[in-house]
Amino acid sequence: MTRWVTLGLFVLLLPRCGGAAAGAEPKTAADDAAEAADAAGSGAPSEGDEADEPSAAPEKPRGPNCDDGTCSVCGSGICPAGWYCDESAPGGAACAWLTECAEKVSCGCVAKVLGSACKCRDESGIKVSCN
Amino acid sequence: MTSRVDLARAVADRLPGLRVSERSVDRAAASRDAWPRHLVAEASAPQSRTEPALVAWPERPEQVQALLSFAREHGVSLVPYGAGSGVCGAIKPRSASIVVDTKRLTRLTIEPDAGVVDVQAGVLGVDLEAELARRGFTVGHFPSSILCSTVGGWLAARGAGQCSSRYGKIEDMVVSADCVLGTADAVRLRRRVGGPNPLGLMIGSEGTLGLITSARLRLHAAPAARAFAAYRLPSFELGAEAMRAIMQAGLRPAVMRLYDPIDSYLLSRGKVADDEGSERRGSGMPSGFWLRAALGSPRALNGAIECFERYLSASATLIVIFEGAADEAHVDLEQAERLLRELGGSSLGEAPARAWLAHRYAVSYRQSKVFQQGAFNDTLEIAAPWARLSAVYQAVRDAAGRHALVLAHLSHAYPDGCSIYFTLVATRRGAALDRYDALLDAVLGAALAEGASLSHHHGVGTSKAHWLDAELGGGLDTLRRVRRAWDPELLLNPDTFEPLRATPRVSLREPVPGIDARSGIATFRGETPLSEIEASARAHGLSLGLIGAVPRLSLAAFVEAGLPGIADPFADPVRGAVCGLEARGPLASFRLLPAPRRAVGPDLSALCVGAAGSIARVESASLALVRRAARSLGATATPALLSADEASAWQRIVTALTLTPAQS
């Protein structure tokens, strides 16, 4: 059985070799795994990426472009998707997360957990302000 | 203290200016870090989290000191908190704890003439580098978490940035650190050669020995130029060889990252995958369908990947970036490219390296996508000498492959070894928590058994605590004595480093005495004359790299004297000196297997290096060697005496590790 599964996965990977564009193809384990690898710190770029980096510093470290929904700006930092930004934190705006809302962070979930003392808005990420 | 209300009132009475919160929102936010197991646990079996009693935001070091005094008087535990992006469960407050959030410790003073920056613990990494960039400087520490991590967190976890192969890890950047020990004594610990170096104990202590309030970090001129290249290597092993050759030739790339075949292939498609995402969401195909299906049979998935590597593409991708003065960056790159071509590398041009740099911080922000697709992922970054790297890589892949999809890259290279960064992805279906624990233990057990260190830069926290005694060669008891020396009541982050489960049995691979020419490491018994070691090294084209004549000392005496003749570590921060050590004393006993860099708690070698044998005798040691043809390493550093406050702190350590309670 395992051999057949292996063969199937091998075939699944096979046609993708060579990096041909596959705009209409369904998302595969390979693609998802690439995201997973990206998520945890790999992040090698594709060979076709355009060079847009000047060859010299100094420069302020530039954060990721959060337009893809993977993050949101919070104070001078950035929160990963799944986290919320507490703009009223006594230490200054800070990222935080709730396990109750990790599956799908939303104002509905965050407000339910944090209670009525907190106001929540979804504005390029979940922003919370509490009394 | 009977209740949170009482505690809050007592703090307010004692520390009227201290900002404190009892709000649920603040206590919830400070209740843990970003350890993925928290997510898996909550998803598997929802449970109430343990929230601390209070969160405090000191604004001055004196408030931290007063808080420590208060904690001692009332027996309250304190848990330091930066930006919460740690991934090892080091933030684990008890319900009666006070979390000390450092984010209002934000003073930053650049001293260009002295070449240092004084920066308080709560400064966010991105703010520090932005300010330095405005003045034409850099510290050179660029973790991918730079937008959600603090300077204090970097020191506490013994972190590494993406440019560690040029600037070193955080411990290589610290000139001094201001701390408040668990005894409530404020002390400035300075970097020191030629004598005891208690700073080595504080860095990596993960909030257990003291609260770090600020650090003085070394400055570099911001690079005037960068030079980029990317190469395809015929195999992962040859890619690793290329990295080794580059580092051992004395080249110091700011960035050098090698992706294994499947990682190279998958990630080369990253842009396509992102572009497809929005269309696919509307296609009716459940997002992550293939991921969930494949992860249901991880053995088969990894088997398919091995087939892919064996029959279709075994090539690995290396990206390399040099920076510095314009001439330096391009000349160094040319030399590196020569080495790459000699090893069969074929150029991919500049674009992949440039693109990596442009997106260098984006990689940390996609974990929740994996979670939302019914899976979890974690990363483990182990370190090993070059000679063990391939065996470690294969052993971990084999062990973890039974539980998860395994990807890997090499990204922190040193002359004597490298870190392997494993990305592990597994399904949350079924007994996810059991799977998570089995996966972690499989990886860590395999890594240790093959001669690697548990962690290169993430730290230990609670996630790896049950493996710590094995990593330290039975040294957990010594670590506990160090803790009691500086924190007698164990009030600082009390649960970190303490095993939550029984320590698994594992047979560690014994380092072979002699010269490991591949890694450039000399491992000898303590009584071996240094001249004999130098002669053995020279027979392999290596050297101890000492400035001046080789001292007439045994290896043990050389280490205990603080490595006389060794070049100032600031001259080449990535070189390292003592990469392994075995020591025995009346109450201290530990063994660190040779590894290029480790982040496994306080650096216990600080109990021996420069300590004149006052705590333990060196039974054996592993020294990092230099290629005789490599660049000159500069001058020795001037030994500095301990200040009064340092001497007092050091004496506490000596007493705790040499005298039984009855004697003391």
Side-chain angles (χ1 to χ4, degrees):
Chain A
M1 171 64 184
T2 302
R3 279 170 54 199
W4 287 110
V5 175
T6 303
L7 183 62
L9 288 164
F10 185 64
V11 170
L12 183 72
L13 288 164
L14 189 60
R16 309 184 70 79
C17 207
E25 289 175 354
K27 197 176 191 179
T28 66
D31 293 326
D32 285 327
E35 286 182 11
D38 267 355
S42 290
S46 70
E47 291 170 26
D49 269 355
E50 290 301 316
D52 57 358
E53 183 71 15
S55 60
E59 70 212 12
K60 179 184 174 179
R62 284 186 301 167
N65 180 353
C66 293
D67 291 347
D68 63 357
T70 58
C71 53
S72 61
V73 174
C74 180
S76 59
I78 285 185
C79 301
W83 295 48
Y84 63 90
C85 175
D86 181 358
E87 296 180 320
S88 62
C95 307
W97 64 281
L98 295 163
T99 45
E100 295 90 331
C101 306
E103 189 91 42
K104 182 67 185 167
V105 68
S106 66
C107 270
C109 182
V110 170
K112 189 173 158 191
V113 177
L114 297 181
S116 58
C118 298
K119 289 193 168 60
C120 179
R121 65 183 200 284
D122 188 347
E123 192 178 284
S124 303
I126 303 297
K127 308 282 197 284
V128 166
S129 184
C130 307
N131 295 323
Chain B
M1 204 66 64
T2 52
S3 72
R4 192 166 70 231
V5 175
D6 291 341
L7 181 62
R9 191 175 300 131
V11 171
D13 289 347
R14 177 70 182 274
L15 295 147
L18 181 66
R19 194 178 296 246
V20 174
S21 173
E22 296 175 66
R23 299 188 314 174
S24 174
V25 62
D26 297 322
R27 292 187 293 113
S31 65
R32 63 241 172 314
D33 58 15
W35 183 20
R37 192 180 188 277
H38 289 309
L39 273 177
V40 179
E42 289 289 333
S44 304
Q47 52 192 282
S48 60
R49 63 183 155 267
T50 302
E51 295 180 359
L54 301 174
V55 184
W57 287 268
E59 296 177 37
R60 300 185 305 278
E62 302 78 50
Q63 288 181 318
V64 176
Q65 192 172 15
L67 201 49
L68 256 302
S69 297
F70 175 89
R72 291 195 77 186
E73 287 164 23
H74 294 85
V76 175
S77 60
L78 301 180
V79 176
Y81 187 94
S85 59
V87 290
C88 296
I91 304 298
K92 197 167 179 294
R94 298 171 179 177
S95 59
S97 299
I98 299 176
V99 166
V100 184
D101 190 324
T102 62
K103 281 197 283 289
R104 293 189 78 85
L105 290 166
T106 54
R107 187 170 297 177
L108 189 162
T109 309
I110 299 170
E111 297 193 20
D113 295 339
V116 296
V117 56
D118 289 317
V119 55
Q120 287 191 323
V123 172
L124 215 54
V126 64
D127 293 337
L128 169 65
E129 278 297 333
E131 189 58 34
L132 293 177
R134 271 193 284 278
R135 304 280 297 275
F137 294 107
T138 180
V139 161
H141 193 73
F142 296 92
S144 61
S145 64
I146 196 166
L147 291 120
C148 53
S149 60
T150 60
V151 171
W154 295 349
L155 268 72
R158 206 170 255 269
Q162 294 165 338
C163 301
S164 60
S165 295
R166 178 177 176 84
Y167 300 102
K169 288 181 63 191
I170 192 68
E171 63 264 32
D172 306 308
M173 303 170 182
V174 181
V175 176
S176 65
D178 289 356
C179 320
V180 182
L181 305 182
T183 54
D185 295 316
V187 56
R188 172 168 295 173
L189 301 173
R190 298 166 181 81
R191 129 190 143 88
R192 179 172 286 98
V193 293
N197 183 28
L199 178 61
L201 295 171
M202 183 58 69
I203 299 175
S205 60
E206 302 190 20
T208 61
L209 300 180
L211 299 184
I212 298 166
T213 55
S214 71
R216 170 169 283 201
L217 304 177
R218 177 193 189 192
L219 291 177
H220 300 270
R226 289 198 178 105
F228 301 82
Y231 273 73
R232 178 175 288 131
L233 277 302
S235 68
F236 190 63
E237 286 72 20
L238 278 171
E241 277 299 291
M243 293 176 80
R244 180 174 77 91
I246 287 169
M247 295 307 294
Q248 292 184 350
L251 297 169
R252 298 292 179 259
V255 176
M256 187 160 59
R257 301 169 74 90
L258 177 73
Y259 296 87
D260 73 1
I262 194 67
D263 217 353
S264 296
Y265 164 65
L266 294 172
L267 291 165
S268 72
R269 297 177 53 82
K271 194 164 188 290
V272 175
D274 280 353
D275 289 344
E276 289 171 356
S278 56
E279 289 179 27
R280 241 184 270 117
R281 274 191 282 275
S283 69
M285 177 65 71
S287 178
F289 172 82
W290 289 106
L291 179 68
R292 284 193 294 274
L295 291 178
S297 186
R299 280 177 202 261
L301 180 59
N302 288 298
I305 289 169
E306 276 189 28
C307 287
F308 167 82
E309 291 173 356
R310 192 169 304 154
Y311 299 114
L312 289 179
S313 168
S315 67
T317 304
L318 181 80
I319 63 168
V320 59
I321 303 172
F322 282 91
E323 67 182 31
D327 290 353
E328 178 196 1
H330 290 94
V331 168
D332 285 357
L333 180 62
E334 279 176 23
Q335 197 178 334
E337 289 191 281
R338 253 196 317 275
L339 292 168
L340 287 162
R341 285 192 293 271
E342 283 171 16
L343 286 161
S346 54
S347 175
L348 298 170
E350 292 187 358
R354 285 185 176 275
W356 177 87
L357 191 70
H359 303 295
R360 63 195 294 189
Y361 304 120
V363 296
S364 289
Y365 295 94
R366 295 181 184 167
Q367 294 207 35
S368 62
K369 277 191 172 182
V370 175
F371 190 76
Q372 287 162 9
Q373 288 166 5
F376 68 80
N377 73 318
D378 203 347
T379 55
L380 290 166
E381 23 61 72
I382 60 184
W386 289 112
R388 300 300 316 149
L389 210 66
S390 183
V392 170
Y393 169 69
Q394 200 54 54
V396 170
R397 268 185 67 160
D398 291 348
R402 294 192 286 272
H403 310 281
L405 169 66
V406 186
L407 306 162
H409 68 261
L410 308 185
S411 52
H412 301 273
Y414 307 94
D416 51 338
C418 193
S419 164
I420 314 179
Y421 199 95
F422 287 101
T423 299
L424 310 159
V425 191
T427 178
R428 285 199 284 125
R429 204 180 303 157
L433 204 54
D434 291 344
R435 188 175 302 112
Y436 178 91
D437 290 339
L439 172 61
L440 199 76
D441 285 346
V443 171
L444 299 179
L448 274 178
E450 286 296 335
S453 175
L454 291 177
S455 175
H456 170 265
H457 60 272
H458 285 175
V460 174
T462 51
S463 69
K464 299 164 194 155
H466 58 298
W467 286 97
L468 188 56
D469 196 46
E471 161 87 23
L472 301 178
L476 186 55
D477 182 61
T478 302
L479 175 57
R480 286 175 175 144
R481 290 178 191 277
V482 170
R483 290 181 74 164
R484 285 218 175 264
W486 282 358
D487 179 21
E489 290 88 16
L490 294 182
L491 296 175
L492 293 177
N493 217 6
D495 293 320
T496 284
F497 299 145
E498 288 301 325
L500 295 173
R501 290 184 276 150
T503 299
R505 286 180 181 276
V506 61
S507 299
L508 303 189
R509 171 173 285 273
E510 297 289 328
V512 180
I515 302 294
D516 169 1
R518 223 167 129 70
S519 309
I521 295 174
T523 300
F524 285 89
R525 298 289 307 165
E527 60 271 21
T528 312
L530 211 57
S531 55
E532 192 178 304
I533 298 172
E534 176 70 9
S536 300
R538 283 177 179 260
H540 291 87
L542 299 162
S543 167
L544 290 166
L546 300 179
I547 295 164
V550 175
R552 291 169 176 268
L553 296 171
S554 68
L555 173 58
F558 173 68
V559 171
E560 290 162 11
L563 315 173
I566 206 93
D568 183 348
F570 269 10
D572 182 10
V574 306
R575 180 195 162 186
V578 179
C579 58
L581 192 74
E582 182 172 7
R584 297 268 179 277
L587 295 172
S589 170
F590 62 91
R591 185 177 70 167
L592 306 171
L593 295 182
R597 288 288 197 284
R598 44 170 55 85
V600 290
D603 179 9
L604 294 185
S605 71
L607 300 176
C608 294
V609 180
S614 58
I615 293 172
R617 299 309 308 263
V618 173
E619 300 215 328
S620 69
S622 301
L623 304 179
L625 304 171
V626 296
R627 300 274 147 196
R628 292 181 63 193
R631 294 172 180 181
S632 162
L633 288 170
T636 55
T638 308
L641 296 174
L642 292 171
S643 63
D645 52 347
E646 283 177 299
S648 170
W650 178 249
Q651 190 53 47
R652 284 180 178 277
I653 297 285
V654 174
T655 301
L657 288 163
T658 54
L659 301 179
T660 60
Q663 290 173 307
S664 59

